[in-house]
Amino acid sequence: MELERPYLLFLGDVPDALAAKTALGIVDWRRDWCVGQWRLPGCNADAKLPEMNAREAADKGARTMIVGVVNAGGKLPDHWVQSIVDGLDAGMDVAAGLHSRLGDVPAIAEAAKRNGRNLFDVRRSSQTFETGKGVKRPGKRLLTVGTDCSVGKKYTALAIEAGMQNAGFDATFCATGQTGVFISGRGVAIDAVVADFISGAAEWIAPATGENAWQLVEGQGSLFHPSFAGVSLGLLHGAQPDAFVVCHEPTRTNMRGVKTPLPTIGDVIDMTVALGKLTNPAIKPVGIAINTAAFEDGDEARAILDKAAADYNLPATDPMRFGVESIVDRITQEYGK
């Protein structure tokens, strides 16, 4: 997959910012690739980009319209089809991270053919995978895991990549979700892989590399989430992480989309170690990443982080607010450079 830039980000009429996390993630890490956003009436997400429709974006030079949203089941709403057709008619390619195939919609397929444009279904990889083998491979790996979905696993991995590179490490972000693929240009939407091949896909995402090279694998879901734990477990076994960072959002009581109570950070540490030992007996936690966006008071946010650090004897930070230096320092102490 190779997407032409710059992008127009289509947000549709999603109900909240979490539903637009693909678009928001692209803006956070690749702002210079984006010319604008297209929102339909009723949209409650905002990527803080200039507002424009398909024709206006094409006139500004946009080459690819990205459907930058997620929803339950990854389905394409019928009332978005005309907007996608408009994007193709304006001369742009269209890329989406939904489970629904763009080309399965007759109006979209016909518009792409009529205009000679490409359709990219990022969740539908053309790559074939073997089953996971569980054999230790060269290189070092870090996996971000979570107490829930949408708690910052991707952002934490990207922040640690930047922090480790600044500290002189050979570190590479490995994408396992559609937003990560848009940001990095390589990867697999692991939640769309047939279940038997999830761990094998993770081995492909983070293959054998130099002994001192770090692959920072974007986590997915949570081992405790009744909907997505299977994906999380397959990724854990295939990534074979030497180290992991627990990501957490402290204001939640139930896991996203279900009534299951949120596990503690300690629960996640213990479960990740217990299950991760199957493919890497040396697995260990190296930090905690807590999303403190809900706390405007910096002192209150710091207090939450300090308590977590004391409770679990690990560096705790909000990567987007306070950086990841403390986690990078712990990695240096544990593994050297």
Side-chain angles (χ1 to χ4, degrees):
M1 180 190 70
E2 188 170 346
L3 304 182
E4 290 192 54
R5 303 191 298 269
Y7 299 155
L8 167 67
L9 302 184
F10 178 74
L11 275 62
D13 53 357
V14 295
D16 55 32
L18 275 177
K21 68 177 186 178
T22 295
L24 299 180
I26 295 169
V27 171
D28 283 342
W29 299 97
R30 299 290 186 265
R31 172 63 180 80
D32 57 324
W33 293 2
C34 306
V35 299
Q37 65 181 9
W38 186 8
R39 300 191 295 170
L40 300 180
C43 182
N44 290 320
D46 188 356
K48 308 298 184 184
L49 293 171
E51 303 280 355
M52 57 187 70
N53 60 29
R55 175 52 58 191
E56 292 166 338
D59 290 344
K60 293 286 187 180
R63 302 299 300 152
T64 302
M65 173 175 153
I66 292 180
V67 181
V69 299
V70 294
N71 55 29
K75 297 178 181 179
L76 178 67
D78 291 341
H79 65 284
W80 291 1
V81 171
Q82 186 58 54
S83 297
I84 293 172
V85 170
D86 290 347
L88 294 164
D89 285 342
M92 290 181 285
D93 296 334
V94 177
L98 300 170
H99 286 293
S100 300
R101 288 181 184 270
L102 292 167
D104 287 346
V105 180
I108 293 175
E110 195 280 328
K113 182 178 180 180
R114 180 175 68 246
N115 293 287
R117 306 316 305 167
N118 297 308
L119 301 174
F120 296 98
D121 294 298
V122 177
R123 267 196 166 120
R124 302 284 183 154
S125 173
S126 60
Q127 178 72 35
T128 57
F129 306 106
E130 302 293 331
T131 55
K133 300 300 185 283
V135 177
K136 192 70 174 71
R137 55 196 187 274
K140 294 185 175 66
R141 289 162 196 90
L142 180 148
L143 176 68
T144 51
V145 301
T147 55
D148 195 7
C149 307
S150 304
V151 291
K153 294 181 287 291
K154 173 177 67 269
Y155 277 48
T156 296
L158 285 162
I160 293 174
E161 176 196 41
M164 292 183 74
Q165 289 177 351
N166 288 339
F169 284 89
D170 179 356
T172 303
F173 171 74
C174 298
T176 64
Q178 69 273 15
T179 308
V181 174
F182 285 134
I183 292 169
S184 71
R186 180 186 184 275
V188 175
I190 203 77
D191 62 357
V193 175
V194 173
D196 278 356
F197 304 99
I198 290 175
S199 60
E203 291 177 1
W204 180 88
I205 290 166
T209 187
E211 282 292 353
N212 293 320
W214 280 86
Q215 294 168 324
L216 310 175
V217 183
E218 173 193 7
Q220 295 293 331
S222 170
L223 291 171
F224 289 83
H225 200 294
S227 304
F228 311 118
V231 174
S232 306
L233 181 59
L235 182 56
L236 173 62
H237 286 159
Q240 298 180 2
D242 301 275
F244 66 92
V245 172
V246 180
C247 303
H248 178 61
E249 206 288 340
T251 67
R252 298 186 195 177
T253 54
N254 291 343
M255 307 188 83
R256 184 165 168 80
V258 295
K259 296 180 179 179
T260 305
L262 205 72
T264 67
I265 292 170
D267 291 336
V268 174
I269 291 172
D270 292 343
M271 185 67 78
T272 302
V273 170
L275 298 176
K277 282 184 175 181
L278 177 67
T279 55
N280 189 344
I283 185 173
K284 67 175 70 172
V286 294
I288 300 166
I290 298 179
N291 181 346
T292 65
F295 302 91
E296 294 184 6
D297 186 334
D299 291 338
E300 187 177 8
R302 284 284 190 189
I304 291 169
L305 298 173
D306 290 345
K307 184 178 187 305
D311 286 348
Y312 301 108
N313 194 30
L314 290 168
T317 187
D318 181 330
M320 305 308 294
R321 195 170 188 174
F322 302 119
V324 293
E325 183 178 356
S326 60
I327 294 177
V328 174
D329 287 345
R330 175 62 67 92
I331 293 170
T332 305
Q333 293 168 11
E334 295 284 351
Y335 302 97
K337 288 188 180 178

